[in-house]
Amino acid sequence: MARLLLLNGPNLNLLGTREPGLYGADTLDAIVSRCTVLAGELGHELVASQSNAEHELVEAVQKAKPQGIDFMILNPGAFTHTSISLRDAILGVGLPFIEVHLSNVHARAAFRRHSYFSDIAVGWIVGLGPLGYELALRAAAVRLAGTAPR
Ligand code: DQA
C-alpha cells in the first residue's frame, strides 16, 4: 500500500463555479471524494491538500516525504507557469509526480503553454477535465506496482 498526495494550487478551491466551461462543474470536494474511493480500490491511501499560497504548497511538498508520501498527483494551477520555488521543492525531495490540468493548456493563451513541471514529471494529463485526476491515479498505481515503462 502506498500513500499518495493529491496537491492542488491556487483557485482550484473554486472548482464547480469557476469557469465551468473550461474546468467542468465538479467541485474539488467531489473530485477528492472520488479519488479517495478510487485510491482505496487500487489498494492505496490518498491524502489531499489545496492552497492558494505558493509557500504553503512548497511546505506541503517538503513535508510529504516525512509523512510517508510515495507519489504525488499535482495540479499547480497558475503556479505551473511561474513557480521555480515549487519546482525546486519537488526536485529537493525527489518525489515522483504526475502533472494534471483540467483544461487543455496548449489550446489556450501562449503563456499557459510553458510549465515549470512537465520536464520533471513522470507524465502529464491535460484537457480531460476532472477525469484527469482519476486517470493520473490509475497511472500512479501502475507505476507504483513497477509495471510501467520508466
Ligand atoms: C489549470 C491551468 C492553469 O493555466 C490555470 O492557471 C489554472 C488551472 C488547469 O487545471 O487547467 O488555475 O492548472
Side-chain angles (χ1 to χ4, degrees):
M1 189 219 251
R3 184 180 266 194
L4 295 101
L5 174 62
L6 176 58
L7 187 59
N8 278 285
N11 300 308
L12 292 164
N13 56 317
L14 297 179
L15 288 178
T17 55
R18 177 189 181 197
E19 299 181 87
L22 263 180
Y23 299 120
D26 290 351
T27 63
L28 185 56
D29 278 352
I31 292 169
V32 169
S33 296
R34 279 205 305 273
C35 287
T36 303
V37 171
L38 177 60
E41 286 168 6
L42 295 168
H44 300 303
E45 184 192 352
L46 189 80
V47 178
S49 183
Q50 183 277 332
S51 178
N52 295 319
E54 190 172 20
H55 73 280
E56 288 181 3
L57 295 168
V58 167
E59 278 161 20
V61 169
Q62 288 184 4
K63 286 183 192 147
K65 268 250 171 106
Q67 288 171 346
I69 301 294
D70 305 291
F71 202 101
M72 292 189 298
I73 311 290
L74 173 69
N75 183 346
F79 290 142
T80 305
H81 320 296
T82 62
S83 185
I84 297 170
S85 60
L86 188 54
R87 175 192 171 94
D88 284 349
I90 294 173
L91 287 172
V93 299
L95 266 180
F97 70 100
I98 295 174
E99 180 179 349
V100 173
H101 296 287
L102 295 139
S103 65
N104 181 355
V105 285
H106 296 288
R108 300 180 62 192
F111 68 83
R112 294 189 199 273
R113 285 182 209 142
H114 175 260
S115 165
Y116 276 102
F117 302 91
S118 54
D119 64 313
I120 58 169
V122 168
W124 47 318
I125 296 173
V126 304
L128 300 181
L131 178 64
Y133 290 102
E134 292 169 58
L135 297 174
L137 203 46
R138 287 187 184 280
V142 171
R143 183 90 184 178
L144 286 161
T147 51
R150 295 200 169 257

